[in-house]
Amino acid sequence: MLLQARPFLVAFLLAALTPVMFVSAVTYVDVTDEVGIRFRHSSGTRSSLLPEDMGSGAGFADIDNDGDIDLYVVNIPGPFKQNGHPTNTRTTNVLYRNNGNGTFTDITETAGVGHQGYGMGCVFADYDGDGNIDLYVTNYGANVLYRNNGDGTFRDMTGTAGVVCELWSTGAAFADVDGDNDLDLYVCNYVTYDLVALEAMKAESLQSGKPVPSALNPHVFEPQDNVFYRNNGDGTFTDVTAEAGVAARGGRSMQAIFSDFDADNDLDLYVANDTSVNHTYRNDGTGVFTDVSAESWAADFRGSMGLAAGDYDSDGDVDLFMSHWVDEENALYRNLLKEDGDAAQIRFVDESYTAMLAEESIKQIGWGTALFDYDNDGDLDIFVTNGSTFQELTNPQVLIAQRDALFRNNGDGTFTDVSEITGITLLPIRVGRGAAFGDYDNDGDVDIFIVNNHAKPALLRNDGGNRNNWLHVELIGANANRNAVGAKIQVKTVNQTQVREIYAGDSYMSFNSFIAEFGVGSATQVESLQVIWSNGDTQTLHNVPTNQQLRITQK
């Protein structure tokens, strides 16, 4: 009898241990063509050199203050030449104006932002506090700062502002780190890509045990220091990297993010590095930082690409997620502030395996990413766009494509891969790089734009996320920090409390909409909404109806 009962016992135990199958009410649909986006990354044939393979990013931002988010996409000319000059100068970055009806119009030429260069990333912010969102573009080569004139056009102010940076720049982020109410700029730099020496690098080297041309192996090249520019408040910046202590020396940096990890009302800094140890910097409140990488337990030694921050476990502090290289698992770092109760330190713990995110990603190479609520159920999910850096064996001019992935937060500290049931696996397999997140059609759920290397992009419209209730919040600062970068928003409903910070720069060399998107499930109103502005002032609203976009101006 005991032997006969065992199969039933095993079946019972398996059933108990197997997660309940989740049937998604949300699907992502590729609407790139129908909305009028005609972009293609690069032109011509890939020539197997790193600057081609690393890019590029994109950004969602309302550049004309008309209430919907526009789209900027970074490009590279290609193919790459030994002297660093492109062979095709017709390929440019592209700016699409949102028409407000679900379609976009290319306004690159009239706007004056069609930069021609080896484009890497972009970040938006109102650096001069005039109420118009400006644009900073990072390149392999000189970066560009475009000032928004407020009439649909931009002006190149790079030289005047003093932020040219002629290194190989990747991700960038704006934040007010010194409390003077204007936005400072941090620029990540990668490696010194010695074009003259490339001819001597015909031999192959190894990456993850696989042979690759040395010209594609970042280990071969010396890392570059990052650069930090303090905003002088008069439209110019000063390089204060050394004084601030944030050069991230030795790190081949990909992306940085400013966040108040220790909840002391100033912005700390985390830098994600490729093939080198990541950096955690604690702000002393004056814009001077201390390197606390080792004691933070988040000095990740793997190849970090994309970077996202958010309170995934709803305990009130900000956690980190980063996408990684093949065989190195994506990483989810849980902030221990609530457990420690000590704002004098920053500590994280790697929850990648306990959250069921590690093994699912071990054979992927992840790039653009976000912690966001795709189904508006009130907790933060994770999206990662994937794409290999390895060439096809039989066709070395082509990189190996990989499927993107969407992970649903189960609300208990674990995640479930819902790529298949949300339509992600039905999309064409591409070589993903940058990804930007925002509600481009203003219907209450978060859409995704993906830049695919040497291919057309993908605008993925969220269909069904708005079946749950939602509240989108746009903050307008009263001082030069008009975008309220660094502000916190706390939303309380009957069943939960959610926190968001306003960032300017995250994902992978990309920019997500400034609008904070909250999913609230079945709640028809928010009991309280509290804004903690970057200067510490607070504003509170009560009994706010859901299913609306709310604009709050600092008093």
Side-chain angles (χ1 to χ4, degrees), residues 216-453:
L216 290 175
N217 189 345
H219 282 286
V220 173
F221 305 96
E222 288 298 314
Q224 295 176 329
D225 290 352
N226 298 341
V227 179
F228 180 58
Y229 297 102
R230 184 187 65 221
N231 193 325
N232 299 321
D234 59 0
T236 68
F237 293 79
T238 299
D239 183 342
V240 294
T241 313
E243 299 95 306
V246 289
R249 186 159 286 114
R252 299 167 178 87
S253 298
M254 290 294 204
Q255 184 62 52
I257 195 166
F258 287 100
S259 177
D260 188 7
F261 297 122
D262 51 6
D264 64 351
N265 207 43
D266 56 40
L267 294 176
D268 311 299
L269 174 65
Y270 190 85
V271 183
N273 297 318
D274 182 20
T275 68
S276 40
V277 174
N278 294 352
H279 287 83
T280 309
Y281 293 102
R282 187 173 188 270
N283 191 341
D284 70 356
T286 68
V288 176
F289 293 80
T290 300
D291 189 337
V292 296
S293 305
E295 51 263 51
S296 75
W297 298 352
D300 199 291
F301 56 88
R302 294 165 287 190
S304 298
M305 310 296 190
L307 178 62
D311 183 15
Y312 85 92
D313 54 355
S314 298
D315 66 349
D317 51 34
V318 179
D319 313 298
L320 287 169
F321 178 83
M322 60 206 71
S323 55
H324 276 157
W325 206 59
V326 68
D327 294 334
E328 294 182 340
E329 313 103 6
N330 294 337
L332 179 67
Y333 281 96
R334 180 167 59 87
N335 193 328
L336 296 176
L337 179 62
K338 181 179 180 181
E339 290 81 354
D340 291 343
D342 183 3
Q345 66 179 354
I346 298 174
R347 286 204 307 167
F348 296 87
V349 61
D350 187 345
E351 298 282 13
S352 310
Y353 277 91
T354 54
M356 310 295 289
L357 290 167
E359 291 185 21
E360 287 75 5
S361 62
I362 200 165
K363 292 305 177 184
Q364 308 295 321
I365 298 180
W367 305 84
T369 188
L371 281 158
F372 75 116
D373 189 358
Y374 85 93
D375 53 0
N376 285 338
D377 67 347
D379 48 35
L380 296 178
D381 313 296
I382 296 172
F383 178 86
V384 183
T385 184
N386 298 309
S388 184
T389 55
F390 293 114
Q391 303 170 154
E392 293 183 2
L393 292 177
T394 58
N395 186 10
Q397 294 177 338
V398 176
L399 293 173
I400 297 171
Q402 294 181 327
R403 291 197 181 279
D404 300 331
L406 177 61
F407 300 95
R408 181 180 184 268
N409 190 330
N410 299 319
D412 59 1
T414 67
F415 291 77
T416 298
D417 188 339
V418 292
S419 308
E420 184 173 357
I421 59 176
T422 54
I424 299 297
T425 57
L426 299 177
L427 302 171
I429 305 176
R430 308 281 192 185
V431 181
R433 288 298 185 260
F437 299 76
D439 183 11
Y440 85 90
D441 52 0
N442 284 336
D443 66 348
D445 45 35
V446 182
D447 312 297
I448 307 171
F449 183 83
I450 302 167
V451 182
N452 294 306
N453 188 271

Side-chain angles (χ1 to χ4, degrees), residues 374-376 443-445 462-470 547:
Y374 85 93
D375 53 0
N376 285 338
D443 66 348
D445 45 35
N462 184 323
D463 285 352
N466 55 12
R467 294 181 185 178
N468 278 327
N469 295 328
W470 52 276
N547 299 328

Side-chain angles (χ1 to χ4, degrees), residues 114-136:
H115 183 66
Q116 296 175 327
Y118 281 95
M120 293 292 121
C122 64
V123 59
F124 286 90
D126 183 5
Y127 79 90
D128 54 359
D130 66 351
N132 302 306
I133 295 180
D134 311 299
L135 169 64
Y136 189 72

